[in-house]
Amino acid sequence: MQKLGMGQAVNQALREEMHRDPNVFIAGEGVGVSIHLNPMFPTHGLLEEFGPSRIKDTPVSEAAIAGLAVGAAEAGLRPVVEIMFNPFFTLASDMIVNHAAKLRYLSGGKSAFPLVVRMKSGAGIGAGCQHSHNLEAWVAHCPGLKVVMPATAADAKGLLKSAIRDDNPVIFIEHMGLYFAPMPVPEEEYLTPMGQAEIKRPGTDVTVVTWSGMLGVAMAAAEKLAQEGVQVEIVDLRTLVPLDKETILASVAKTGRLVVLHEATRTGGFGGEIAAVVMEEGFRHLKAPLRRVTGPDIPVPASPPQERFYIPNDEQLIMAIKEII
Amino acid sequence: MTISAEKMKEMLWTMVLSRRFEDELMDLCKIQGKIPGMMILATGQEAVGSGACAALEPEDVIITNHRSHNHLLAKGANPNVLMAEIFCKRTGCNKGKSGTLHMAVPEINAPCTSTVVGAGPPIAVGRAFAQQYKGEKRVTVCFFGDGAAAEGSVHEAMNLAGLWRLPVIFICENNVYAGAQRLEEHAPVLNLADRAAGYAMPGVIVDGNDAPAVYQAVVEAKQRALSGDGPTFIECKTYRCRGHGEADPQHYQPKDEISAWQEKCPVPRLRDTLQAQGVITAADFQDMENRAAAMVREAVRFAEDSPYPSPEEALEDVFAE
Ligand SMILES: Cc1ncc(C[n+]2csc(CCOP(=O)(O)OP(=O)(O)O)c2C)c(N)n1
């Protein structure tokens, strides 16, 4: 099997879908000519392959980039636009929140908006809070938007291909920390359906629900706990919307214990939604109170010791698990 | 307008200091690997910040962007606390929370450095509104790039400033590039100052490598603002001699274009003018360079000797108590 960073896997998905469907085009800041010459980045080499009519470098104008996607999608094109970093989503948010998400509803189901908005997220790059801010809970809160946050290169590729073929707006969030670690990706063509979580590690004693960059932290903690005889089951959500409640509830039914792990800040984080779903629909399975392990309620600080403090780690997860087993 | 020898020397000094400071940063980041995060330098663009800030009083305000070091030093920021912040140390101006990208130095009336492109102008409008509201005879200068001029926020800010005749000076630092995109690739006009007309303010174009020219344009804009005639848009034509950041290999920038602009470097340019006019001697300039080198050495020593903030201090400063 080939080994790719997540950026390369995204790149393959983009290439394959652009070859398959002439209506797919890409727009964003530096998606064609980039300051990076790095093949690990998602849009590397696309301009050379598909030319400037399908790979559109834009001005620094997030509202126009998102609006471009909305308008073009209504006309039947399949835009895949890029917002460089998750915090800059705020500039595009009217187009996404009030328009991409709502216009189909407002049309009484007559129109469709098949578009994908890709953005990079994640702390750990030392750039501080205006570049690192995980806002997935904001978008998940908007009916009409699908939200994808892959944790592996293989999932990123399969999910992005599904997202591009989907007739709805999809917010596709890539954790920058996953761009550079090669991971196995199948050679043959495949699609990964949105709305299906995956058990990334089976276990019997406690369920950890997580997504995106935190999968690695969950895996590391599970490895350590296994040495102590604690078997952790890891549910990688992969998509927040639609949410695969069944897989979560089935896992909790098996283990009786739940910890939700996410990098985003705690208050109003998507972990609260998982907790509520399990309380409402799986309370009878719980043998102990559930726990959340999340970033603290602060902007991501630039200083390295403080940025490390911000990012949830395996020790914190192990402590939370030990509190409830 | 004749510019006093003192002002001339002040501009040259803050340019020399900025250049030394940023050359050191380049070395610390690229060669020594001592500084985390992105490193975004304004090498070759110092005439903009140094010319503009020389026209300001300490009570005037600047709002700046990701390429801020020269703006802040020219406004009077202490190099030690800037350097410590860039090292993300506890003694930095923001206790390590900002790092190089978002340094806030309210004590010198530089309260906001935003790395969100285009975010400065609306905030500058608010700051200028406060000046007008309180009846202060002060102005707010906002530095932003040619790339930023494409953000809707900049246009909303200019419209409001034009409408309310606010004492704000928009300084668009046109360094030809926004990331890897050249001006022709991201703007349908070559003179961004043309846009000022739509917001009922003068659009002034100056040679952004000529510090006295920038100074003069800002002095005039300030006079307009203080006499109630509202905002001015100043486009400073300059060039980004280094990459967008230090990780950028500049593969898309023609080599001869870079070297042509290096020939127009604002520092030797003002030095030569001042020497020709007899305002300074070669020895005076050498002395400035020595002083800048000593200050930067001291700033690095201060930063390196300072502790990192503790992890738990990250929890502080979210809310006012
Ligand atoms: C809202 C937003 N979009 C994108 C970026 C990424 N970005 C950082 S600097 C930059 C280019 C800005 O160009 P310009 O305004 O001309 O300033 P310069 O870097 O040339 O000084 C971009 C696109 C950002 N920081 N903020």
Side-chain angles (χ1 to χ4, degrees), chain A residues 29-30 33-37 57 59-62 85 88 91 125-131 296-299 301-306 309, chain B residues 36-38 88 96-99 101-102 114-117 147 150-151 179-181 186 244 248-249 251-252 308-311 313-314 318:
Chain A
E29 297 156 16
V33 181
S34 162
I35 59 174
H36 306 291
L37 269 181
D57 271 324
V60 193
S61 305
E62 287 75 12
F85 288 94
F88 312 155
L91 286 84
I125 57 168
C129 61
Q130 290 182 342
H131 284 73
D297 282 334
I298 57 172
S303 196
Q306 297 193 331
F309 170 80
Chain B
M38 303 178 183
C88 294
K97 293 192 161 92
S98 268
L101 288 180
H102 338 69
S114 179
T115 107
V116 180
V117 167
E151 291 283 11
Q181 274 59 56
H186 74 73
H244 170 68
D248 170 2
H251 59 96
Y252 52 88
Y308 280 110
S310 74
E313 282 166 351
V318 180

Short mmCIF file of all heavy atoms in Angstrom, two decimals, chain A residues 29-30 33-37 57 59-62 85 88 91 125-131 296-299 301-306 309, chain B residues 36-38 88 96-99 101-102 114-117 147 150-151 179-181 186 244 248-249 251-252 308-311 313-314 318:
data_model
loop_
_atom_site.label_atom_id
_atom_site.label_comp_id
_atom_site.label_asym_id
_atom_site.label_seq_id
_atom_site.Cartn_x
_atom_site.Cartn_y
_atom_site.Cartn_z
N GLU A 29 -6.69 31.06 -1.90
CA GLU A 29 -5.48 31.88 -1.89
C GLU A 29 -4.25 30.99 -2.01
O GLU A 29 -3.96 30.20 -1.11
CB GLU A 29 -5.44 32.68 -0.58
CG GLU A 29 -6.62 33.65 -0.47
CD GLU A 29 -6.97 34.02 0.96
OE1 GLU A 29 -6.15 33.80 1.87
OE2 GLU A 29 -8.09 34.53 1.17
N GLY A 30 -3.56 31.08 -3.12
CA GLY A 30 -2.35 30.28 -3.29
C GLY A 30 -2.61 28.81 -3.59
O GLY A 30 -1.73 27.98 -3.37
N VAL A 33 -0.39 28.96 -7.54
CA VAL A 33 0.99 29.31 -7.21
C VAL A 33 1.03 29.55 -5.70
O VAL A 33 0.35 30.43 -5.18
CB VAL A 33 1.43 30.59 -7.95
CG1 VAL A 33 2.88 30.91 -7.60
CG2 VAL A 33 1.27 30.41 -9.45
N SER A 34 1.82 28.74 -5.02
CA SER A 34 1.86 28.81 -3.56
C SER A 34 3.25 29.22 -3.10
O SER A 34 4.23 29.00 -3.81
CB SER A 34 1.51 27.44 -2.99
OG SER A 34 1.94 27.34 -1.64
N ILE A 35 3.31 29.81 -1.92
CA ILE A 35 4.64 30.09 -1.36
C ILE A 35 5.34 28.78 -0.99
O ILE A 35 6.55 28.74 -0.86
CB ILE A 35 4.58 31.02 -0.13
CG1 ILE A 35 3.72 30.42 0.99
CG2 ILE A 35 4.04 32.38 -0.50
CD1 ILE A 35 3.76 31.24 2.29
N HIS A 36 4.59 27.71 -0.84
CA HIS A 36 5.19 26.42 -0.51
C HIS A 36 5.52 25.66 -1.79
O HIS A 36 4.71 25.61 -2.70
CB HIS A 36 4.22 25.56 0.32
CG HIS A 36 3.71 26.24 1.54
ND1 HIS A 36 4.51 26.52 2.62
CD2 HIS A 36 2.49 26.74 1.85
CE1 HIS A 36 3.81 27.14 3.54
NE2 HIS A 36 2.58 27.30 3.10
N LEU A 37 6.67 25.06 -1.81
CA LEU A 37 7.01 24.18 -2.95
C LEU A 37 6.95 22.75 -2.47
O LEU A 37 7.68 21.90 -2.94
CB LEU A 37 8.43 24.49 -3.42
CG LEU A 37 8.59 25.53 -4.51
CD1 LEU A 37 10.06 25.69 -4.88
CD2 LEU A 37 7.78 25.18 -5.75
N ASP A 57 -6.42 30.86 -8.44
CA ASP A 57 -5.86 31.64 -7.34
C ASP A 57 -6.72 32.89 -7.18
O ASP A 57 -7.04 33.57 -8.17
CB ASP A 57 -4.42 32.05 -7.67
CG ASP A 57 -3.42 31.00 -7.21
OD1 ASP A 57 -3.66 30.39 -6.16
OD2 ASP A 57 -2.42 30.79 -7.92
N PRO A 59 -7.79 36.63 -4.93
CA PRO A 59 -7.31 37.64 -3.97
C PRO A 59 -7.57 37.17 -2.53
O PRO A 59 -8.23 36.15 -2.31
CB PRO A 59 -8.16 38.87 -4.30
CG PRO A 59 -8.70 38.63 -5.66
CD PRO A 59 -8.83 37.14 -5.81
N VAL A 60 -7.05 37.91 -1.57
CA VAL A 60 -7.26 37.58 -0.16
C VAL A 60 -8.67 38.06 0.21
O VAL A 60 -8.86 39.18 0.68
CB VAL A 60 -6.20 38.24 0.75
CG1 VAL A 60 -6.24 37.62 2.14
CG2 VAL A 60 -4.80 38.07 0.16
N SER A 61 -9.65 37.24 -0.06
CA SER A 61 -11.05 37.66 0.01
C SER A 61 -11.91 36.46 0.37
O SER A 61 -12.56 35.86 -0.49
CB SER A 61 -11.51 38.20 -1.36
OG SER A 61 -10.68 39.23 -1.83
N GLU A 62 -11.94 36.12 1.65
CA GLU A 62 -12.63 34.89 2.04
C GLU A 62 -14.13 34.94 1.76
O GLU A 62 -14.73 33.93 1.40
CB GLU A 62 -12.38 34.57 3.51
CG GLU A 62 -10.97 34.07 3.81
CD GLU A 62 -9.90 35.14 3.78
OE1 GLU A 62 -10.26 36.34 3.76
OE2 GLU A 62 -8.70 34.80 3.78
N PHE A 85 -6.80 29.01 6.86
CA PHE A 85 -6.75 28.53 8.24
C PHE A 85 -8.15 28.67 8.84
O PHE A 85 -8.87 29.63 8.56
CB PHE A 85 -5.76 29.35 9.08
CG PHE A 85 -4.32 29.07 8.75
CD1 PHE A 85 -3.64 29.86 7.83
CD2 PHE A 85 -3.63 28.01 9.34
CE1 PHE A 85 -2.31 29.61 7.51
CE2 PHE A 85 -2.30 27.76 9.02
CZ PHE A 85 -1.64 28.55 8.11
N PHE A 88 -9.88 31.95 9.82
CA PHE A 88 -10.30 32.87 8.76
C PHE A 88 -11.67 32.50 8.21
O PHE A 88 -12.23 33.22 7.38
CB PHE A 88 -9.27 32.92 7.61
CG PHE A 88 -7.85 33.09 8.05
CD1 PHE A 88 -6.80 32.66 7.26
CD2 PHE A 88 -7.54 33.68 9.27
CE1 PHE A 88 -5.48 32.80 7.66
CE2 PHE A 88 -6.21 33.82 9.68
CZ PHE A 88 -5.19 33.37 8.87
N LEU A 91 -14.37 35.18 8.27
CA LEU A 91 -14.58 36.14 7.19
C LEU A 91 -15.50 35.58 6.11
O LEU A 91 -16.13 36.32 5.37
CB LEU A 91 -13.24 36.55 6.56
CG LEU A 91 -12.38 37.49 7.38
CD1 LEU A 91 -11.55 36.73 8.40
CD2 LEU A 91 -11.47 38.30 6.50
N ILE A 125 1.54 24.62 15.74
CA ILE A 125 2.40 25.23 14.73
C ILE A 125 3.08 26.49 15.24
O ILE A 125 3.77 27.17 14.50
CB ILE A 125 1.64 25.53 13.42
CG1 ILE A 125 0.44 26.45 13.68
CG2 ILE A 125 1.19 24.24 12.75
CD1 ILE A 125 -0.18 27.01 12.41
N GLY A 126 2.87 26.82 16.50
CA GLY A 126 3.56 27.95 17.10
C GLY A 126 3.14 29.30 16.55
O GLY A 126 3.83 30.29 16.72
N ALA A 127 2.01 29.34 15.88
CA ALA A 127 1.61 30.59 15.23
C ALA A 127 0.59 31.37 16.04
O ALA A 127 0.22 32.48 15.68
CB ALA A 127 1.06 30.32 13.83
N GLY A 128 0.13 30.80 17.15
CA GLY A 128 -0.80 31.53 18.01
C GLY A 128 -2.25 31.44 17.56
O GLY A 128 -2.60 30.74 16.61
N CYS A 129 -3.09 32.19 18.29
CA CYS A 129 -4.53 31.93 18.25
C CYS A 129 -5.24 32.43 17.00
O CYS A 129 -6.38 32.03 16.75
CB CYS A 129 -5.19 32.52 19.48
SG CYS A 129 -4.99 34.30 19.62
N GLN A 130 -4.61 33.30 16.21
CA GLN A 130 -5.32 33.73 14.99
C GLN A 130 -5.06 32.77 13.83
O GLN A 130 -5.64 32.92 12.75
CB GLN A 130 -4.95 35.17 14.62
CG GLN A 130 -5.56 36.16 15.63
CD GLN A 130 -5.27 37.61 15.30
OE1 GLN A 130 -4.38 37.93 14.54
NE2 GLN A 130 -6.04 38.51 15.90
N HIS A 131 -4.20 31.80 14.04
CA HIS A 131 -4.02 30.73 13.05
C HIS A 131 -4.51 29.39 13.57
O HIS A 131 -4.86 28.52 12.78
CB HIS A 131 -2.55 30.60 12.62
CG HIS A 131 -2.11 31.67 11.68
ND1 HIS A 131 -1.89 32.96 12.07
CD2 HIS A 131 -1.85 31.64 10.35
CE1 HIS A 131 -1.52 33.68 11.02
NE2 HIS A 131 -1.49 32.91 9.97
N PRO A 296 -8.28 23.69 27.07
CA PRO A 296 -8.89 24.58 28.06
C PRO A 296 -9.56 25.77 27.37
O PRO A 296 -9.30 26.03 26.20
CB PRO A 296 -7.70 25.02 28.90
CG PRO A 296 -6.49 24.85 28.03
CD PRO A 296 -6.81 23.74 27.07
N ASP A 297 -10.41 26.47 28.10
CA ASP A 297 -11.16 27.59 27.51
C ASP A 297 -10.30 28.84 27.38
O ASP A 297 -10.52 29.85 28.05
CB ASP A 297 -12.40 27.89 28.37
CG ASP A 297 -13.51 26.88 28.10
OD1 ASP A 297 -13.55 26.32 26.99
OD2 ASP A 297 -14.34 26.65 29.01
N ILE A 298 -9.30 28.74 26.55
CA ILE A 298 -8.42 29.89 26.29
C ILE A 298 -8.09 29.92 24.80
O ILE A 298 -8.16 28.88 24.13
CB ILE A 298 -7.09 29.80 27.08
CG1 ILE A 298 -6.35 28.49 26.75
CG2 ILE A 298 -7.33 29.90 28.57
CD1 ILE A 298 -4.95 28.41 27.34
N PRO A 299 -7.74 31.10 24.26
CA PRO A 299 -7.17 31.11 22.91
C PRO A 299 -5.84 30.35 22.92
O PRO A 299 -5.18 30.29 23.97
CB PRO A 299 -6.95 32.60 22.62
CG PRO A 299 -7.82 33.33 23.61
CD PRO A 299 -7.85 32.46 24.83
N PRO A 301 -2.22 29.85 22.96
CA PRO A 301 -1.10 30.77 23.14
C PRO A 301 0.07 30.43 22.22
O PRO A 301 0.22 29.28 21.80
CB PRO A 301 -0.70 30.58 24.61
CG PRO A 301 -1.29 29.28 25.02
CD PRO A 301 -2.34 28.87 24.04
N ALA A 302 0.91 31.43 21.92
CA ALA A 302 2.03 31.20 21.00
C ALA A 302 3.20 30.50 21.70
O ALA A 302 3.90 29.71 21.09
CB ALA A 302 2.51 32.53 20.42
N SER A 303 3.41 30.81 22.97
CA SER A 303 4.60 30.33 23.66
C SER A 303 4.63 28.80 23.71
O SER A 303 3.64 28.18 24.10
CB SER A 303 4.62 30.90 25.08
OG SER A 303 5.90 30.75 25.64
N PRO A 304 5.74 28.16 23.31
CA PRO A 304 5.74 26.70 23.21
C PRO A 304 5.27 25.95 24.46
O PRO A 304 4.45 25.04 24.33
CB PRO A 304 7.20 26.38 22.84
CG PRO A 304 7.68 27.60 22.14
CD PRO A 304 7.00 28.75 22.82
N PRO A 305 5.76 26.31 25.68
CA PRO A 305 5.27 25.53 26.82
C PRO A 305 3.76 25.70 27.03
O PRO A 305 3.08 24.77 27.48
CB PRO A 305 6.04 26.09 28.02
CG PRO A 305 6.78 27.28 27.54
CD PRO A 305 6.78 27.29 26.06
N GLN A 306 3.26 26.88 26.67
CA GLN A 306 1.83 27.11 26.84
C GLN A 306 1.02 26.45 25.73
O GLN A 306 -0.10 25.97 25.96
CB GLN A 306 1.54 28.61 26.90
CG GLN A 306 2.21 29.26 28.10
CD GLN A 306 1.72 30.66 28.36
OE1 GLN A 306 1.31 31.37 27.44
NE2 GLN A 306 1.76 31.07 29.61
N PHE A 309 0.72 23.00 26.70
CA PHE A 309 -0.26 22.92 27.79
C PHE A 309 -1.69 22.93 27.22
O PHE A 309 -2.58 22.24 27.71
CB PHE A 309 -0.04 24.12 28.72
CG PHE A 309 -1.10 24.33 29.77
CD1 PHE A 309 -1.11 23.58 30.93
CD2 PHE A 309 -2.07 25.32 29.60
CE1 PHE A 309 -2.08 23.80 31.90
CE2 PHE A 309 -3.03 25.55 30.57
CZ PHE A 309 -3.03 24.77 31.72
N PRO B 36 10.24 30.01 17.58
CA PRO B 36 9.15 29.18 17.08
C PRO B 36 8.23 29.95 16.13
O PRO B 36 8.27 31.19 16.08
CB PRO B 36 8.38 28.83 18.36
CG PRO B 36 8.64 29.99 19.28
CD PRO B 36 10.01 30.50 18.95
N GLY B 37 7.44 29.21 15.40
CA GLY B 37 6.38 29.84 14.60
C GLY B 37 6.88 30.42 13.30
O GLY B 37 7.97 30.13 12.82
N MET B 38 6.04 31.27 12.72
CA MET B 38 6.36 31.87 11.44
C MET B 38 7.28 33.07 11.67
O MET B 38 7.29 33.65 12.74
CB MET B 38 5.09 32.35 10.77
CG MET B 38 4.07 31.25 10.59
SD MET B 38 2.57 31.90 9.84
CE MET B 38 1.54 30.42 9.86
N CYS B 88 8.84 34.34 22.66
CA CYS B 88 7.71 33.79 23.44
C CYS B 88 8.05 33.65 24.92
O CYS B 88 7.62 32.70 25.58
CB CYS B 88 7.25 32.46 22.87
SG CYS B 88 6.53 32.60 21.23
N GLY B 96 4.40 36.27 26.13
CA GLY B 96 4.56 35.06 25.31
C GLY B 96 3.28 34.58 24.66
O GLY B 96 3.29 33.61 23.92
N LYS B 97 2.18 35.27 24.90
CA LYS B 97 0.91 34.80 24.33
C LYS B 97 0.79 35.13 22.85
O LYS B 97 0.10 34.44 22.10
CB LYS B 97 -0.26 35.40 25.10
CG LYS B 97 -0.31 34.86 26.54
CD LYS B 97 -1.60 35.19 27.24
CE LYS B 97 -1.82 34.29 28.44
NZ LYS B 97 -1.31 34.82 29.70
N SER B 98 1.45 36.20 22.43
CA SER B 98 1.34 36.65 21.04
C SER B 98 2.39 36.06 20.13
O SER B 98 2.13 35.74 18.99
CB SER B 98 1.47 38.17 20.97
OG SER B 98 0.22 38.76 21.05
N GLY B 99 3.63 35.99 20.63
CA GLY B 99 4.72 35.65 19.73
C GLY B 99 4.93 36.74 18.71
O GLY B 99 4.44 37.87 18.88
N LEU B 101 3.72 37.29 15.83
CA LEU B 101 2.69 37.68 14.88
C LEU B 101 1.67 38.71 15.37
O LEU B 101 1.05 39.38 14.56
CB LEU B 101 1.92 36.43 14.40
CG LEU B 101 2.67 35.51 13.45
CD1 LEU B 101 1.79 34.33 13.06
CD2 LEU B 101 3.11 36.24 12.20
N HIS B 102 1.43 38.75 16.67
CA HIS B 102 0.30 39.62 17.10
C HIS B 102 0.69 40.56 18.24
O HIS B 102 -0.07 40.76 19.18
CB HIS B 102 -0.91 38.82 17.57
CG HIS B 102 -1.02 37.42 17.08
ND1 HIS B 102 -0.17 36.40 17.45
CD2 HIS B 102 -1.90 36.86 16.22
CE1 HIS B 102 -0.52 35.28 16.85
NE2 HIS B 102 -1.56 35.52 16.10
N SER B 114 -2.88 42.63 14.09
CA SER B 114 -3.70 41.48 13.71
C SER B 114 -3.07 40.76 12.54
O SER B 114 -2.65 41.38 11.57
CB SER B 114 -5.12 41.91 13.33
OG SER B 114 -5.85 40.75 12.96
N THR B 115 -3.00 39.44 12.64
CA THR B 115 -2.51 38.67 11.51
C THR B 115 -3.65 38.20 10.62
O THR B 115 -3.44 37.52 9.64
CB THR B 115 -1.66 37.46 11.95
OG1 THR B 115 -2.39 36.29 11.74
CG2 THR B 115 -1.27 37.54 13.35
N VAL B 116 -4.87 38.56 11.00
CA VAL B 116 -6.00 38.29 10.12
C VAL B 116 -5.98 39.40 9.08
O VAL B 116 -6.21 40.56 9.39
CB VAL B 116 -7.32 38.26 10.90
CG1 VAL B 116 -8.48 37.97 9.96
CG2 VAL B 116 -7.26 37.22 12.02
N VAL B 117 -5.66 39.03 7.87
CA VAL B 117 -5.43 40.03 6.82
C VAL B 117 -6.70 40.87 6.62
O VAL B 117 -7.79 40.32 6.46
CB VAL B 117 -5.00 39.34 5.52
CG1 VAL B 117 -5.07 40.29 4.33
CG2 VAL B 117 -3.59 38.78 5.67
N GLY B 147 -2.43 43.01 -0.52
CA GLY B 147 -3.33 41.86 -0.48
C GLY B 147 -4.54 42.16 0.37
O GLY B 147 -5.69 41.85 0.00
N ALA B 150 -7.94 43.68 -0.70
CA ALA B 150 -9.00 42.91 -1.35
C ALA B 150 -10.04 42.40 -0.36
O ALA B 150 -11.04 41.81 -0.77
CB ALA B 150 -8.39 41.72 -2.10
N GLU B 151 -9.81 42.59 0.93
CA GLU B 151 -10.78 42.11 1.91
C GLU B 151 -11.95 43.09 2.02
O GLU B 151 -11.75 44.31 2.07
CB GLU B 151 -10.13 41.96 3.30
CG GLU B 151 -9.10 40.84 3.41
CD GLU B 151 -9.73 39.44 3.52
OE1 GLU B 151 -10.95 39.28 3.32
OE2 GLU B 151 -8.96 38.50 3.82
N GLY B 179 1.30 36.98 -0.44
CA GLY B 179 1.72 35.58 -0.51
C GLY B 179 2.47 35.39 -1.82
O GLY B 179 3.41 36.13 -2.12
N ALA B 180 2.04 34.41 -2.62
CA ALA B 180 2.71 34.15 -3.89
C ALA B 180 2.03 34.87 -5.05
O ALA B 180 2.42 34.71 -6.20
CB ALA B 180 2.75 32.64 -4.17
N GLN B 181 1.00 35.65 -4.76
CA GLN B 181 0.25 36.32 -5.83
C GLN B 181 0.78 37.74 -6.04
O GLN B 181 0.82 38.55 -5.12
CB GLN B 181 -1.25 36.35 -5.51
CG GLN B 181 -2.01 35.10 -5.94
CD GLN B 181 -1.49 33.82 -5.31
OE1 GLN B 181 -1.42 33.70 -4.10
NE2 GLN B 181 -1.08 32.84 -6.13
N HIS B 186 -3.87 39.67 -8.28
CA HIS B 186 -4.91 39.73 -7.25
C HIS B 186 -5.68 41.05 -7.24
O HIS B 186 -6.63 41.19 -6.46
CB HIS B 186 -4.34 39.38 -5.86
CG HIS B 186 -3.47 40.44 -5.23
ND1 HIS B 186 -3.99 41.59 -4.69
CD2 HIS B 186 -2.14 40.51 -5.02
CE1 HIS B 186 -3.00 42.32 -4.19
NE2 HIS B 186 -1.87 41.69 -4.38
N HIS B 244 7.53 35.72 1.69
CA HIS B 244 6.39 36.08 2.53
C HIS B 244 6.75 35.88 3.99
O HIS B 244 6.53 36.74 4.83
CB HIS B 244 5.17 35.24 2.17
CG HIS B 244 4.06 35.41 3.15
ND1 HIS B 244 3.38 36.60 3.26
CD2 HIS B 244 3.57 34.60 4.12
CE1 HIS B 244 2.50 36.49 4.25
NE2 HIS B 244 2.59 35.30 4.78
N ASP B 248 9.58 30.71 3.02
CA ASP B 248 9.18 30.85 1.62
C ASP B 248 10.43 30.93 0.74
O ASP B 248 11.23 31.85 0.89
CB ASP B 248 8.34 32.13 1.52
CG ASP B 248 8.04 32.55 0.09
OD1 ASP B 248 8.44 31.84 -0.85
OD2 ASP B 248 7.38 33.60 -0.08
N PRO B 249 10.62 29.97 -0.16
CA PRO B 249 11.83 29.98 -0.99
C PRO B 249 11.80 31.00 -2.13
O PRO B 249 12.76 31.08 -2.90
CB PRO B 249 11.88 28.55 -1.54
CG PRO B 249 10.47 28.08 -1.54
CD PRO B 249 9.79 28.77 -0.38
N HIS B 251 10.35 31.14 -4.95
CA HIS B 251 10.55 30.54 -6.27
C HIS B 251 9.77 31.29 -7.36
O HIS B 251 10.08 31.17 -8.53
CB HIS B 251 10.12 29.08 -6.24
CG HIS B 251 8.67 28.88 -5.86
ND1 HIS B 251 7.68 28.74 -6.78
CD2 HIS B 251 8.06 28.86 -4.64
CE1 HIS B 251 6.51 28.61 -6.15
NE2 HIS B 251 6.72 28.69 -4.86
N TYR B 252 8.77 32.05 -6.96
CA TYR B 252 7.90 32.74 -7.91
C TYR B 252 8.31 34.21 -8.11
O TYR B 252 7.67 34.93 -8.85
CB TYR B 252 6.44 32.67 -7.41
CG TYR B 252 6.34 33.16 -5.97
CD1 TYR B 252 6.16 34.50 -5.68
CD2 TYR B 252 6.52 32.27 -4.91
CE1 TYR B 252 6.14 34.95 -4.38
CE2 TYR B 252 6.51 32.72 -3.60
CZ TYR B 252 6.32 34.06 -3.35
OH TYR B 252 6.32 34.51 -2.05
N TYR B 308 10.60 31.19 30.06
CA TYR B 308 9.29 31.01 29.42
C TYR B 308 8.21 31.24 30.46
O TYR B 308 8.45 31.05 31.67
CB TYR B 308 9.16 29.59 28.87
CG TYR B 308 9.85 29.38 27.55
CD1 TYR B 308 10.99 28.60 27.46
CD2 TYR B 308 9.35 29.97 26.40
CE1 TYR B 308 11.64 28.42 26.24
CE2 TYR B 308 9.99 29.79 25.18
CZ TYR B 308 11.13 29.01 25.10
OH TYR B 308 11.75 28.85 23.91
N PRO B 309 7.03 31.63 30.04
CA PRO B 309 5.93 31.67 31.01
C PRO B 309 5.63 30.24 31.45
O PRO B 309 5.91 29.30 30.71
CB PRO B 309 4.77 32.25 30.19
CG PRO B 309 5.10 31.94 28.77
CD PRO B 309 6.60 31.94 28.67
N SER B 310 5.05 30.09 32.63
CA SER B 310 4.68 28.74 33.06
C SER B 310 3.48 28.30 32.23
O SER B 310 2.71 29.13 31.74
CB SER B 310 4.31 28.74 34.54
OG SER B 310 3.04 29.34 34.70
N PRO B 311 3.30 27.00 32.07
CA PRO B 311 2.14 26.53 31.31
C PRO B 311 0.83 27.09 31.86
O PRO B 311 -0.03 27.56 31.11
CB PRO B 311 2.21 25.01 31.46
CG PRO B 311 3.66 24.72 31.67
CD PRO B 311 4.20 25.89 32.44
N GLU B 313 0.13 29.77 33.37
CA GLU B 313 -0.15 31.20 33.09
C GLU B 313 -0.92 31.38 31.79
O GLU B 313 -1.46 32.45 31.53
CB GLU B 313 1.16 31.99 33.04
CG GLU B 313 1.72 32.28 34.43
CD GLU B 313 3.18 32.76 34.40
OE1 GLU B 313 3.82 32.69 33.33
OE2 GLU B 313 3.67 33.17 35.43
N ALA B 314 -0.97 30.33 31.00
CA ALA B 314 -1.78 30.39 29.78
C ALA B 314 -3.25 30.63 30.10
O ALA B 314 -4.00 31.14 29.28
CB ALA B 314 -1.62 29.10 28.98
N VAL B 318 -7.64 35.93 29.91
CA VAL B 318 -8.75 35.74 28.98
C VAL B 318 -9.80 36.83 29.21
O VAL B 318 -10.28 37.47 28.26
CB VAL B 318 -9.39 34.34 29.13
CG1 VAL B 318 -10.55 34.19 28.16
CG2 VAL B 318 -8.35 33.25 28.90
#
